[in-house]
Each structure stands twice: as structure tokens, then as C-alpha cells.
Amino acid sequence: QVQLQESGPGLVKPSETLSLTCAVSGYSISSGYYWGWIRQPPGKGLEWIGSIYHSGSTYYNPSLKSRVTISVDTSKNQFSLKLSSVTAADTAVYYCARISGDSRFNWYFDLWGRGTLVTVSS
Amino acid sequence: SYELTQPPSVSVSPGQTARITCSGDALPKQYAYWYQQKPGQAPVLVIYKDSERPSGIPERFSGSSSGTTVTLTISGVQAEDEADYYCQSADSSGTSYVVFGGGTKLTVL
């Protein structure tokens, strides 16, 4: 079955860049679907970060767009997130997910990774 | 920015019906989706396209839409249904393709 697994540093210093990778198993990213990142600060709700297609087309949350880069590596069957100039407000559990839906206005997340906690602290 | 509004909490006794609402101006034009999240776990999709149920989701979960409000209904609530529930939709203006509601904590008394 299809599985997603996030990986990356659990601690990042303020002003530095947060980098995470999502490895996909059981399905080839090149075969289709959009893939996305969502985060959840401790005790708070969900926030969409952005999404990417295997071709490299990306869409970002306008509130984070200036600091976010999402990329895909089809040879490794994974996609990645970079968030620059982080502050304590970026401390959250970061999830990667598979996106279904027949248009960008009908996206939904039908398969999620387990999530990884990233803490921003010096 | 576009917002989806959910009640912070809903409480029901086992066997009763729980209704969780989500309000947003674009909901008459955009589908809504619902996720269940239990403590320490990733969210799970329970309803898509307003009222469709993914395979493996119990029939007691249903969704409906009326105007600017969508509703997740859980019939015959069980203790295992205690969780946070989030609605999700899109901003039809194209500003943001994915917007989440603030979440509702369902407590089974």
C-alpha cells in the first residue's frame, strides 16, 4: 500500500532554513497526483503550506509563499519542503500528504504521513 | 483572507447523534471535506465532496451541505469517535486553494 514518511531535523535555529523530505513508497510519484505539506502548531489547527505535481508545478499558501520552496525528486520518489527565516511561530508538526481531486479548487488530502515535529529554538 | 468557522467543541452521549458545522461564504460554490484527528495521530479523511464517504469509513459518518454551511453528522456516536474534526475547502477567489476550519473537539460523555 502507499505510504508517506517525513524526515528531517527536529530542531532548527531561528532565522535558519527548515528542510524536510517526504519519501513515498508503494506508488511512483511520476504516475500522477499532487503532493502536499501541511503543518500543525502544538495544540492548534491545520495549515496548508503548499503542493507540488511530479512535473514540478507548485502552489503555495499566500501567507507563507515568500518563505516556502517545495521541490520533487522523481528519481528518489520523494518531495521536499524548505521554509526559510524560521521563528518560534514555525514550531509545528509537519505532515506530508497525497492530494486527490479533479481541480485545484477541489483538492483534498486522502493519505497522510505520520508527521514530524520541528522545533525552532536556539 | 477566507475563513471557515467551526464551533470549538461539541459534546454528546454514546449512541446519540453529533452534528458539527462549518460555515464559509464560498461553500455554496466549493466542496467541503472533513478530517478526523485523534491525539498524536495524523488526520484521516472521513468525508469528501460534501457527502461522499471514503472506503473504510463507517456508515455512521455522513455529510451534508446547505447554503454557506456544511455539516458532519455522526449517528450512533461511539467512544472511539472522540477526536478533533476539521473541515476543509477552497477560496473560490483563487487566493488559497486549501483552507482549513479551526477544528471542533468532539467529546463523548
Side-chain angles (χ1 to χ4, degrees):
Chain A
Q1 72 278 24
V2 183
Q3 293 184 322
L4 292 81
Q5 179 65 59
E6 305 90 349
S7 63
L11 181 64
V12 181
K13 290 182 169 54
S15 81
E16 295 190 344
T17 296
L18 177 160
S19 296
L20 296 174
T21 296
C22 181
V24 180
S25 59
Y27 184 84
S28 172
I29 285 182
S30 300
S31 297
Y33 287 104
Y34 273 87
W35 307 85
W37 289 97
I38 304 100
R39 70 180 183 178
Q40 184 173 36
K44 296 187 178 180
L46 301 168
E47 180 180 35
W48 172 63
I49 300 171
S51 304
I52 191 165
Y53 196 54
H54 66 80
S55 64
S57 297
T58 52
Y59 299 89
Y60 300 132
N61 185 326
S63 68
L64 298 169
K65 186 175 183 178
S66 63
R67 298 193 292 131
V68 173
T69 301
I70 297 176
S71 59
V72 64
D73 186 337
T74 54
S75 67
K76 294 182 178 180
N77 214 42
Q78 64 187 33
F79 59 103
S80 300
L81 167 69
K82 291 187 185 299
L83 180 64
S84 65
S85 304
V86 298
T87 69
D90 295 310
T91 294
V93 174
Y94 285 76
Y95 295 100
C96 60
R98 187 179 72 178
I99 298 171
S100 285
D102 53 12
S103 80
R104 293 193 295 275
F105 293 98
N106 291 326
W107 279 346
Y108 59 98
F109 306 93
D110 64 348
L111 190 64
W112 296 64
R114 290 190 169 185
T116 186
L117 175 63
V118 179
T119 301
V120 178
S121 175
S122 55
Chain B
S1 61
Y2 183 56
E3 293 184 354
L4 296 173
T5 301
Q6 298 180 234
S9 63
V10 169
S11 299
V12 295
S13 298
Q16 290 190 329
T17 296
R19 294 180 178 84
I20 300 173
T21 59
C22 173
S23 299
D25 290 342
L27 289 176
K29 293 173 286 187
Q30 301 297 337
Y31 285 123
Y33 309 89
W34 289 95
Y35 302 89
Q36 175 194 67
Q37 186 181 34
K38 296 182 179 179
Q41 298 183 18
V44 173
L45 179 73
V46 294
I47 293 291
Y48 66 101
K49 289 188 177 181
D50 289 346
S51 60
E52 299 294 320
R53 195 173 51 250
S55 61
I57 300 302
E59 291 184 7
R60 64 180 182 274
F61 288 86
S62 63
S64 61
S65 176
S66 179
T68 59
T69 299
V70 293
T71 302
L72 172 68
T73 300
I74 310 172
S75 304
V77 167
Q78 301 181 6
E80 66 196 51
D81 299 330
E82 184 164 289
D84 293 325
Y85 291 86
Y86 293 91
C87 63
Q88 177 236 311
S89 188
D91 177 359
S92 58
S93 72
T95 302
S96 183
Y97 297 114
V98 177
V99 178
F100 288 98
T104 298
K105 170 65 176 179
L106 174 65
T107 300
V108 181
L109 301 170

